[in-house]
Amino acid sequence: MGKTSKDKRDVYYRLAKEEGWRARSAFKLMQIDDEFKLLEGVKNVVDLCAAPGSWSQVLAKRLLKDGSDNAKIVAVDLQAMAPLKGVIQLQGDITQVSTANAIIDHFKGESADLVICDGAPDVTGLHEMDEYIQAQLLLAALNITTHILKPGGSFLAKIFRGKDITLLYSQLKIFFPIVTVTKPLSSRNSSIESFVVCQNYSPPADYIPNMSNPLLDHKYTDWNQLTGSNRVIVPFLACGDLSAYDSDTNYPLELEGRQPYQYRPPVQSPISPPYEESVQLKKSKGLGKCVDPASSSDEIIKSAEETVNKLNLNSE
Amino acid sequence: MPGTISFRNVFISTDVICVKFFGPYVFAGVGGILKIFELLTKTCVKEVEVFKGHKIYGIEPGEKNLIIIFGSKSVRVFKFSHAQTEIQMSCVASISLEDWVLTAHWLSDDTQISLVTAHNVIWLWSWSENDKTELMRAGCSEKCILYSATVCGKDWESCVVFAGTVFREVVIWLPSGSGMCDQPVLHRLVGHNGVIFSLTWDWQTSSLCSTSDDRSIRLWEFSFPHKSDWQSSTVTCSNVFYGHSARVWRSIMFENFIVSVGEDNQICVWSRNGNLLQSINRSTSGCQWSVDCSAKHQLMVTGAGDGSIQLLPPPSPRAVPTAITGPFPEDLLRLIDSPCVRKLAFLSSGVIVAATEDGTILRGDSISTPWEIVCKDVRFSNYCVLSVAPSRTKFSIASLRGEVILYQCTAKDGKEWTLEQQLEDGKIWSLLWLSDQEILVCGDEGRLRVWQISPEQGVNMKCIGQFTLPRSRERWPTCGRLLTKNSQNFLLCGDRCGSLHLFSLSGFSQAEVQFSAPDHSLPKLHGKLGVTSVMKHHGKIFSTGRDGSVKMLAVNSDPPQLLLLSTDKMVMDWVCSVITLPSDNKNFLIVGFKEMNMIVWSTSERRTILQIDCGGGHRSWDCMVSSKENLELTYVREKQIYYSSRALETLMKPTLQCGISPRELNSVSILPLVPSGLLFGGEDGTLYVCKFSGDISTLVSRATLTSHISSVRCICVQDNFFFSAGGRAQLKAWQIEHGSDEEISCVELASHMLKGERHPRSPPSIDPEMRYMSLCCIPSTESNSVVQLISGCSDGAMRWLTFDSFNKTFQVVSESMFHTKCVLKLLTVPLNQGKVALISSATDGMIALWDILPEMFTSNSGREPIWSSRCHQSGVNSLHAQVLPTSKASTILVASGGDDNSVVLTALTLGDKEVSMIAQWSNSSAHAAQVTGVWLVGAWLLSTSIDQRLTVWRWKLELEGSTHLTCDFVSQTICSVPDVQDMQIWRDKDFISVCVVGKGVQIVQIPLKPEL
Ligand SMILES: C[S@@+](CC[C@H](N)C(=O)[O-])C[C@H]1O[C@@H](n2cnc3c(N)ncnc32)[C@H](O)[C@@H]1O
């Protein structure tokens, strides 16, 4: 298949390259913001699960107008991320206490106006498990959020609308009176990915944020049944201007009202995938043969005392 | 009254995430249902619904016939018993935790179970049959999400937790450390480059096996300076196993082997020192989720993504064929000038006939009887065509000068005889045995003659037909068979250039001088590298070729014609022959080559059962199944003869449960002309024709059609035709033939790709990446050879097409860009007086109604809907409609389900001039996710969604006075099929059947209440 075939299949993939976004996800945040005005008046924002960084790019573009440092953007991801001007970057797992503490440290005294999380786990293909892990990622993000979000603030997170999504809705409803599920035009119709927009943060009066225990999702109850007419389903709002491109539609390479088409390489080359070594071995016909563990990459066995500090602070 | 409807689950096939041997049984989790298979009969003897709404992820047998079954956040303990033939599984305890359970482990006191949950917490569950349960918790200082965990230890005090983190590490900790606080990490195993999907501990070898996203398996060995003292233990990674080409889900340590299964459809068997001994590729069954081994039964079992449960031979070292070293004894060698073997073949079990370079023909036994010279004739030196009759009781040699010698090895009376005859003047290019009585001989310039052998000894062969092969570079046949159709005889042969030719054998007289050309040919059917075999098996004709495919064909007698029914792409580069099995007339073996290996593939298990490194396909070889059911192979490699004999039963094992598709199914349709016939179209580009037998609750596959080059998104059926379309702008037409004894055959009539075609009114360029999203046929009352179709496409166009079944061609008549956005669904609604309405929907929430006029298929006239409205906020994924019997104009009730969670009912009245919407009802929180199926049946509306719920609603339209449309929730159930994409409903006598498809298939029956 030609190198333009992905450009043909996915208009946003191609637009992202043309406009210099590191990922097509940038359009999702912009379309959600256009609808919900989440970035209006925001000074402090946390971007969880930020790599490769297109949401951070959108934040920087929309919040740091005229190059001033009138907003603080903290971006966190498991993966390392190329530096971005005006964005403080942390590398870490958002389900781990240490990561949460590092973020909280950055906001010493202050609180955030908005927390966004576009996290997605390694999907296994077992929908039930993927949905659960996605929910745990969201709840970890919510847990961090309860420490740093100012009352009245907003939380935006990616969800998988699947079998047990109502359990997550009922959990979110405890912290936010207004919960809406939204799908930007740049998310595919067929995808289970959607976003929850949670507004007006109002934790229960007796709620004490606690990072040492994870927030867990709810169980089915009488008011949120497994099956039946009592299920917690939050309102849905499609977002994205109707005149915007639709991600399921195939568009010709020559788009009306745009510059003539020209192939462009991706803005950000992909981060090294976990299977890199396996692919390397396949090329050298080394699969199925005995591998000396000492020769394979960074093989270290650490004892408990040498806990590694996985938080590399590389702000810019 | 809500909740009064009962849902009866009659069929389910989805990912099999766990399998386990238990006594003489195999336990498997299929969705939330536990299935018990008896190894003796290989049948399912018991089904128990363990969980509703989630899957079974683990089965842990313990002492006293107790079994833990867990999945999601629930754990249950069952007691297994069987009185006479009846198997009982009674649930004796159950618990629900607050977090996802990753593993369950029996402690030595069988009222104690330890459980590890996804946030790195271990629980001690003390259960009892009278519901008095206690739960104790211990946490670890490392708090993060785990994908896997395992526990070892006999009791809580000595328990050890191994936990696989998202951060690519395995953390090891002891739950019973000091105090109530979180326990420290004892060891941290670093090395994997991805998420850790499974961990297995083995006490015998004190080792841990981990599998990962990075496609590797790691073996970690522990040493204990002080017996069982974990504090002082040390650990090293003793081996890393790379061999899977995708993620590795699970591994088990069995005897001296490690068995791993993965997303690449493979089961790999490794030696502990890191060598890949065996890899079993179950290519058509998808992800291999689970595996178990039994030493007692000498079996392995695996559960896969297509829903199949397959028994396999136990792990074993690699099979090596024996070299028949120095095949020819010294005294013989003295007589042979050039002992280099050119050609060989089996005469019977273990008995090989070989032709050497100098024209010596030898016969020998691979094991006991010594080799002997059958003949030594200079006329056959340097060039000798050696071939064996199908029964292997005769063989022949042919020379450069047209001489042929036949050998009858073991006649009925035990006599052996030979017959020599001059059959050509020049070189015999090929000699093929068509049957035990007929041979096909090819002379110069593609001249073919069929010779009949007299049963009497010493009587010359007689020519019964003569033909000529079409001109080509290498003009000789490579395979041939005689066929009879409607009492007419035919010769079917394949050639070096990949073509198949059909010749009529009737009416030949000895005086004939004419060499007739083929009556019909399928040129280059197997690509340009050649056809390798043709054979007939139970009424079906198969051909194999060096294009790596097996094709199924049919022959028509009047006029003589060859039809291609289907193509099956094999895992090999060259497919060489088809071997029948003595005790199975449905399945057979396929032999071929891939790179350096000879491969034997079984059609029943759809996998390679034997793979031998023989150096590649360019050599003489033979393969047979002996009467004792041994699979015997022989080949020449570096002048050596190699021989291998393996009992078939050690290579092939029964399938406990058949699978359907390894990927998502996108669409389902009933086949009205086939009783209980269902047609599925899948993301894997395959169409599955199945029959559902309600009485035994099984879905039996009848045909698997794999020729689409991309996913199949939509199908539609019209009489005995059906159409399929999907990715890469590809559209196909098929004909279904429903023969006697349940046989169904499907013929591909045409395949069409939109690429390149342009129409005056079409958008600037048609993009080959366009996907067909939906397809419908216009029902016609008169039988017509032209089928009218409308398609909805991802480039926003609706295309009007015709299919001429006589000429087998598609034609795009015209198109409409009304929707501009990706069209998702189309639906035809037959109105009275033969009129037809069409409903279309798109990703922007629009629904449009069209009046379908016959002239739309002949001219490129204007195309505008007669009504349209934005009924949903975003994509409309499902549509259904019903014409209401009203006195005045026709009223259509349209049901739609959207990406926006909502279900909408719209009542439209079709007047003479205009369409008016008379009422609308909508429920914006009908489901918690995309609604992917809606169906109106009587007063019921059924809806289903990615949220896996199936809901029954009851609608009511009041037309008297003010028009009023209402719809009430009646009842709901949860499905076990994730990612539901489509739904089909049909009505039986006193119930309706609902088939939902997605990652699997589920069929639910709902008894009809009198009110419907
Ligand atoms: C879809 S990407 C985010 C894209 C990003 N918003 C952008 O616009 O470029 C999801 C990210 O989630 C991260 N992630 C997944 N699990 C995580 C965890 N436990 N902690 C931190 N990051 C995580 C992955 O590393 C991945 O980079």
Side-chain angles (χ1 to χ4, degrees):
Chain A
M1 239 180 274
K3 59 182 181 179
T4 61
S5 67
K6 203 163 173 199
D7 287 355
K8 288 182 192 163
R9 234 174 317 157
D10 184 346
V11 68
Y12 282 104
Y13 172 79
R14 147 191 188 184
L15 292 179
K17 291 192 296 177
E18 284 174 14
E19 295 177 16
W21 304 109
R22 290 180 181 183
R24 67 193 289 293
S25 326
F27 294 100
K28 301 176 193 168
L29 181 59
M30 290 190 285
Q31 287 169 346
I32 294 168
D33 181 44
D34 291 345
E35 180 74 41
F36 291 89
K37 306 282 176 252
L38 290 175
L39 298 182
E40 226 159 65
V42 163
K43 286 250 171 292
N44 292 334
V45 54
V46 182
D47 181 4
L48 299 173
C49 303
S54 79
W55 278 24
S56 292
Q57 285 181 293
V58 173
L59 293 175
K61 186 175 175 203
R62 294 202 171 178
L63 297 177
L64 306 174
K65 294 194 190 86
D66 27 275
S68 59
D69 55 352
N70 49 2
K72 183 187 256 177
I73 303 167
V74 177
V76 187
D77 202 284
L78 271 180
Q79 320 258 10
M81 198 167 117
L84 264 176
K85 199 164 166 47
V87 178
I88 302 165
Q89 296 182 5
L90 300 177
Q91 193 180 359
D93 173 1
I94 66 158
T95 70
Q96 269 175 331
V97 188
S98 45
T99 313
N101 288 334
I103 301 167
I104 296 163
D105 283 352
H106 264 284
F107 280 91
K108 222 164 251 151
E110 271 182 82
S111 52
D113 308 294
L114 171 69
V115 178
I116 59 178
C117 174
D118 190 24
D122 255 315
V123 292
T124 60
L126 293 173
H127 291 73
E128 190 179 15
M129 187 159 175
D130 293 341
E131 200 199 333
Y132 186 79
I133 292 173
Q134 175 66 26
Q136 297 318 300
L137 209 55
L138 180 138
L139 290 171
L142 178 64
N143 205 358
I144 292 177
T145 302
T146 61
H147 287 82
I148 44 179
L149 190 64
K150 70 164 191 213
S154 314
F155 174 59
L156 163 69
K158 167 143 81 200
I159 54 161
F160 287 171
R161 256 191 310 166
K163 182 166 70 70
D164 295 319
I165 191 65
T166 66
L167 297 179
L168 211 53
Y169 293 156
S170 75
Q171 173 73 284
L172 289 166
K173 282 259 188 188
I174 290 178
F175 296 93
F176 298 91
I178 313 167
V179 180
T180 315
V181 57
T182 187
K183 192 163 178 179
L185 268 178
S186 45
S187 277
R188 276 183 209 108
N189 169 66
S190 52
S191 159
I192 60 166
E193 165 192 286
S194 297
F195 295 86
V196 273
V197 180
C198 308
Q199 287 163 298
N200 192 14
Y201 178 56
S202 342
D206 54 352
Y207 183 79
I208 303 154
N210 171 5
M211 209 46 223
S212 62
N213 277 321
L215 275 174
L216 294 165
D217 64 355
H218 282 175
K219 290 184 181 178
Y220 287 107
T221 56
D222 281 348
W223 51 273
N224 188 17
Q225 299 166 318
L226 174 68
T227 57
S229 49
N230 291 333
R231 300 206 292 145
V232 178
I233 297 171
V234 304
F236 177 93
L237 192 67
C239 65
D241 193 336
L242 265 188
S243 63
Y245 294 104
D246 173 73
S247 52
D248 291 277
T249 307
N250 285 85
Y251 292 93
L253 284 177
E254 301 304 333
L255 287 172
E256 238 168 272
R258 288 190 79 92
Q259 303 260 309
Y261 174 78
Q262 183 195 339
Y263 173 77
R264 275 163 236 258
V267 173
Q268 190 79 23
S269 53
I271 314 165
S272 71
Y275 48 82
E276 201 167 87
E277 183 139 2
S278 156
V279 171
Q280 214 85 67
L281 278 168
K282 186 168 185 178
K283 277 195 196 130
S284 60
K285 300 231 185 285
L287 286 186
K289 307 224 171 78
C290 189
V291 176
D292 178 5
S295 74
S296 80
S297 68
D298 61 2
E299 178 76 15
I300 345 153
I301 297 156
K302 294 181 207 114
S303 65
E305 305 88 67
E306 313 170 31
T307 8
V308 274
N309 180 13
K310 275 175 253 103
L311 297 173
N312 298 327
L313 257 65
N314 46 22
S315 51
E316 197 197 320
Chain B
M1 215 206 311
T4 53
I5 283 178
S6 62
F7 296 92
R8 200 165 57 214
N9 178 33
V10 291
F11 177 78
I12 167 86
S13 168
T14 185
D15 298 293
V16 178
I17 316 169
C18 63
V19 284
K20 207 88 186 176
F21 283 104
F22 178 77
Y25 305 99
V26 169
F27 282 23
V30 180
I33 293 169
L34 175 76
K35 285 196 170 192
I36 303 176
F37 296 88
E38 192 177 51
L39 282 170
L40 191 68
T41 56
K42 276 87 188 176
T43 52
C44 178
V45 288
K46 181 97 186 161
E47 279 186 26
V48 188
E49 183 172 54
V50 178
F51 300 123
K52 205 168 181 67
H54 62 81
K55 290 188 163 126
I56 296 174
Y57 281 78
I59 300 169
E60 286 304 325
E63 299 289 310
K64 300 181 190 157
N65 279 336
L66 292 168
I67 299 149
I68 311 171
I69 298 180
F70 65 92
S72 190
K73 300 172 196 167
S74 318
V75 185
R76 289 193 172 178
V77 180
F78 280 84
K79 193 162 183 70
F80 171 91
S81 62
H82 64 132
Q84 279 120 33
T85 53
E86 189 60 31
I87 288 177
Q88 292 281 336
M89 281 289 283
S90 40
C91 180
V92 290
S94 108
I95 195 167
S96 209
L97 299 188
E98 59 188 30
D99 195 7
W100 189 278
V101 179
L102 290 169
T103 188
H105 173 76
W106 285 102
L107 297 175
S108 59
D109 174 352
D110 59 41
T111 62
Q112 294 198 327
I113 293 166
S114 62
L115 305 162
V116 179
T117 52
H119 285 83
N120 210 4
V121 173
I122 185 168
W123 307 84
L124 175 65
W125 178 31
S126 310
W127 64 276
S128 76
E129 293 200 27
N130 48 31
D131 263 4
K132 272 213 210 101
T133 67
E134 265 176 62
L135 204 57
M136 199 161 93
R137 172 191 193 277
C140 174
S141 60
E142 179 89 1
K143 288 191 188 337
C144 63
I145 298 179
L146 311 180
Y147 272 71
S148 57
T150 194
V151 177
C152 84
K154 288 196 177 66
D155 46 42
W156 181 254
E157 286 65 41
S158 63
C159 246
V160 185
V161 181
F162 303 90
T165 72
V166 273
F167 225 106
R168 304 142 191 208
E169 294 177 346
V170 180
V171 295
I172 302 172
W173 57 285
L174 306 174
S176 63
S178 55
M180 290 299 288
C181 57
D182 288 333
Q183 302 302 319
V185 172
L186 197 64
H187 292 288
R188 201 177 276 279
L189 311 185
V190 185
H192 276 298
N193 282 318
V195 170
I196 290 146
F197 287 122
S198 82
L199 291 166
T200 323
W201 170 258
D202 180 43
W203 258 124
Q204 245 141 44
T205 54
S206 296
S207 51
L208 180 77
C209 199
S210 56
T211 67
S212 164
D213 196 9
D214 67 8
R215 305 182 176 178
S216 76
I217 298 138
R218 278 170 190 252
L219 185 63
W220 313 83
E221 288 184 348
F222 289 73
S223 50
F224 298 90
H226 309 292
K227 191 171 174 285
S228 305
D229 175 32
W230 287 90
Q231 297 286 351
S232 60
S233 66
T234 53
V235 48
T236 49
C237 176
S238 61
N239 257 309
V240 190
F241 309 76
Y242 280 102
H244 283 279
S245 54
R247 298 183 286 181
V248 191
W249 297 127
R250 215 149 293 187
S251 72
I252 46 172
M253 289 181 257
F254 177 76
E255 294 171 350
N256 281 321
F257 304 101
I258 289 169
V259 181
S260 58
V261 292
E263 198 179 23
D264 60 352
N265 316 338
Q266 296 211 71
I267 298 127
C268 291
V269 177
W270 309 82
S271 66
R272 284 182 70 94
N273 58 19
N275 286 317
L276 181 61
L277 302 176
Q278 213 186 330
S279 69
I280 300 172
N281 192 341
R282 298 191 63 219
S283 55
T284 54
S285 59
C287 267
Q288 301 297 304
W289 292 117
S290 47
V291 64
D292 196 19
C293 290
S294 161
K296 179 158 176 266
H297 300 288
Q298 282 297 301
L299 280 173
M300 190 148 82
V301 64
T302 165
D306 66 343
S308 65
I309 303 164
Q310 177 70 50
L311 292 177
L312 296 166
S316 65
R318 203 190 308 247
V320 190
T322 44
I324 304 174
T325 35
F328 311 126
E330 274 303 308
D331 52 330
L332 278 190
L333 268 182
R334 254 179 277 122
L335 302 171
I336 308 170
D337 308 323
S338 171
C340 177
V341 174
R342 272 287 184 82
K343 283 224 66 173
L344 53 60
F346 278 119
L347 287 179
S348 61
S349 173
V351 181
I352 294 163
V353 59
T356 60
E357 210 153 46
D358 68 343
T360 313
I361 309 297
L362 295 113
R363 172 162 50 179
D365 190 312
S366 51
I367 310 134
S368 52
T369 27
W371 285 83
E372 58 178 20
I373 291 178
V374 178
C375 89
K376 189 170 184 304
D377 193 328
V378 284
R379 292 177 298 170
F380 295 93
S381 60
N382 295 323
Y383 185 86
C384 173
V385 179
L386 172 75
S387 7
V388 174
S391 69
R392 298 183 188 272
T393 56
K394 297 187 183 95
F395 69 89
S396 60
I397 51 174
S399 78
L400 203 58
R401 277 177 214 84
E403 297 110 342
V404 169
I405 306 180
L406 294 190
Y407 289 84
Q408 164 79 50
C409 325
T410 43
K412 280 197 196 75
D413 51 11
K415 286 227 188 72
E416 303 199 352
W417 49 258
T418 61
L419 173 75
E420 189 181 324
Q421 197 172 336
Q422 181 84 33
L423 295 186
E424 283 289 334
D425 298 332
K427 178 174 174 178
I428 292 182
W429 292 83
S430 80
L431 189 158
L432 303 164
W433 287 80
L434 300 171
S435 72
D436 267 28
Q437 280 72 46
E438 283 101 0
I439 57 171
L440 177 68
V441 175
C442 178
D444 289 329
E445 282 154 4
R447 200 162 57 231
L448 300 178
R449 282 198 184 94
V450 180
W451 297 89
Q452 192 168 50
I453 303 163
S454 164
E456 273 168 77
Q457 194 178 320
V459 177
N460 267 354
M461 291 180 272
K462 151 174 132 215
C463 177
I464 57 163
Q466 55 190 37
F467 312 100
T468 171
L469 271 185
R471 198 178 291 279
S472 68
R473 200 163 36 86
E474 290 166 303
R475 202 174 174 188
W476 65 86
T478 49
C479 52
R481 273 287 176 273
L482 294 178
L483 306 167
T484 309
K485 174 88 184 187
N486 297 336
S487 56
Q488 287 188 53
N489 295 326
F490 293 98
L491 165 68
L492 172 65
C493 69
D495 68 15
R496 278 284 304 172
C497 307
S499 308
L500 277 174
H501 308 284
L502 185 70
F503 301 93
S504 174
L505 259 179
S506 21
F508 175 76
S509 81
Q510 296 296 327
E512 193 77 66
V513 286
Q514 196 73 29
F515 284 81
S516 41
D519 290 289
H520 188 233
S521 295
L522 293 175
K524 301 260 186 296
L525 184 71
H526 278 283
K528 56 179 190 302
L529 293 176
V531 186
T532 49
S533 78
V534 288
M535 67 97 74
K536 199 171 165 190
H537 186 52
H538 277 264
K540 290 180 176 150
I541 302 164
F542 296 92
S543 65
T544 62
R546 288 187 172 183
D547 59 344
S549 75
V550 174
K551 295 182 188 267
M552 192 155 84
L553 305 151
V555 164
N556 272 351
S557 55
D558 201 19
Q561 201 182 16
L562 270 173
L563 292 175
L564 172 64
L565 297 184
S566 63
T567 299
D568 215 352
K569 203 89 186 93
M570 291 286 122
V571 290
M572 29 209 146
D573 308 327
W574 290 2
V575 184
C576 294
S577 77
V578 171
I579 295 175
T580 56
L581 295 165
S583 57
D584 184 344
N585 54 29
K586 258 185 41 216
N587 300 296
F588 42 84
L589 302 177
I590 294 169
V591 187
F593 292 89
K594 188 183 167 105
E595 288 152 16
M596 305 294 271
N597 296 304
M598 185 190 285
I599 285 175
V600 183
W601 205 81
S602 143
T603 59
S604 62
E605 289 179 54
R606 299 197 61 79
R607 69 172 181 93
T608 300
I609 57 163
L610 188 66
Q611 175 169 338
I612 283 175
D613 178 357
C614 68
H618 290 283
R619 66 196 60 251
S620 183
W621 61 277
D622 199 7
C623 177
M624 68 177 277
V625 172
S626 70
S627 54
K628 292 204 184 85
E629 306 231 346
N630 285 330
L631 177 66
E632 303 193 15
L633 289 171
T634 183
Y635 60 88
V636 184
R637 182 179 196 176
E638 285 158 14
K639 300 181 185 168
Q640 275 282 5
I641 295 177
Y642 285 82
Y643 170 73
S644 151
S645 173
R646 303 280 301 266
L648 269 181
E649 60 163 10
T650 65
L651 299 172
M652 292 170 71
K653 297 290 174 188
T655 304
L656 295 178
Q657 182 171 292
C658 294
I660 304 174
S661 170
R663 306 267 310 267
E664 276 83 7
L665 292 172
N666 288 321
S667 46
V668 50
S669 176
I670 55 170
L671 288 167
L673 293 190
V674 180
S676 333
L678 287 171
L679 174 66
F680 302 100
E683 198 55 27
D684 61 345
T686 306
L687 287 158
Y688 299 88
V689 181
C690 299
K691 266 188 154 188
F692 174 66
S693 22
D695 27 322
I696 49 164
S697 289
T698 48
L699 204 56
V700 187
S701 168
R702 288 279 178 228
T704 305
L705 312 168
T706 57
S707 68
H708 269 276
I709 56 166
S710 181
S711 63
V712 177
R713 302 201 64 96
C714 45
I715 48 184
C716 69
V717 185
Q718 169 97 308
D719 304 329
N720 59 340
F721 296 116
F722 63 86
F723 302 89
S724 57
R728 308 286 300 280
Q730 195 178 38
L731 170 66
K732 284 176 187 260
W734 308 81
Q735 186 168 10
I736 188 154
E737 269 158 18
H738 191 221
S740 54
D741 61 292
E742 304 269 288
E743 282 302 329
I744 294 174
S745 57
C746 298
V747 189
E748 183 174 334
L749 298 180
S751 179
H752 177 260
M753 283 175 89
L754 207 49
K755 190 180 177 174
E757 276 187 49
R758 286 199 56 179
H759 212 270
R761 275 172 56 105
S762 68
S765 79
I766 293 173
D767 183 348
E769 301 300 329
M770 187 280 278
R771 287 156 287 142
Y772 279 106
M773 303 299 289
S774 187
L775 200 59
C776 64
C777 304
I778 306 303
S780 82
T781 40
E782 62 231 73
S783 64
N784 197 330
S785 69
V786 176
V787 183
Q788 300 176 332
L789 298 149
I790 302 177
S791 63
C793 307
S794 70
D795 58 358
M798 279 167 68
R799 294 190 166 83
W800 273 252
L801 303 127
T802 54
F803 173 69
D804 183 333
S805 60
F806 188 76
N807 293 321
K808 298 183 182 137
T809 49
F810 280 107
Q811 198 190 345
V812 182
V813 182
S814 66
E815 57 195 29
S816 161
M817 286 300 288
F818 167 77
H819 276 295
T820 67
K821 298 287 164 67
C822 176
V823 179
L824 289 173
K825 276 280 171 310
L826 299 179
L827 177 79
T828 46
V829 190
L831 304 173
N832 38 21
Q833 291 150 7
K835 289 181 68 166
V836 177
L838 173 83
I839 306 168
S840 61
S841 71
T843 46
D844 58 356
M846 285 296 268
I847 295 182
L849 184 75
W850 308 69
D851 190 3
I852 299 304
L853 306 166
E855 53 268 29
M856 285 181 168
F857 291 93
T858 50
S859 73
N860 188 18
S861 54
R863 260 156 198 92
E864 287 301 324
I866 49 174
W867 174 87
S868 66
S869 167
R870 192 157 179 245
C871 299
H872 291 265
Q873 292 187 48
S874 51
V876 184
N877 292 309
S878 49
L879 285 175
H880 199 248
Q882 196 170 311
V883 180
L884 303 180
T886 51
S887 48
K888 293 171 261 127
S890 355
T891 299
I892 307 179
L893 184 65
V894 181
S896 55
D899 172 54
D900 58 357
N901 300 349
S902 72
V903 171
V904 176
L905 283 176
T906 309
L908 299 171
T909 298
L910 273 62
D912 286 338
K913 294 247 157 46
E914 51 167 27
V915 176
S916 49
M917 184 174 90
I918 54 169
Q920 194 166 42
W921 167 88
S922 87
N923 185 331
S924 60
S925 50
H927 284 276
Q930 289 111 301
V931 181
T932 45
V934 285
W935 203 281
L936 289 161
V937 46
W940 281 354
L941 162 67
L942 281 88
S943 62
T944 190
S945 153
I946 303 276
D947 74 4
Q948 285 174 234
R949 303 310 195 277
L950 173 67
T951 313
V952 179
W953 313 78
R954 187 182 289 109
W955 62 269
K956 201 164 176 215
L957 178 64
E958 276 167 43
L959 290 166
E960 307 304 318
S962 65
T963 323
H964 198 54
L965 180 59
T966 54
C967 189
D968 297 312
F969 177 93
V970 179
S971 192
Q972 192 174 60
T973 189
I974 185 156
C975 311
S976 299
V977 173
D979 210 9
V980 176
Q981 297 294 319
D982 196 11
M983 170 166 76
Q984 173 85 37
I985 291 181
W986 64 97
R987 220 171 149 152
D988 282 292
K989 266 201 314 292
D990 46 4
F991 55 85
I992 57 170
S993 298
V994 182
C995 177
V996 292
V997 300
K999 189 73 213 315
V1001 177
Q1002 186 168 12
I1003 301 176
V1004 174
Q1005 288 177 346
I1006 310 173
L1008 287 176
K1009 293 280 159 125
E1011 69 247 42
L1012 183 71

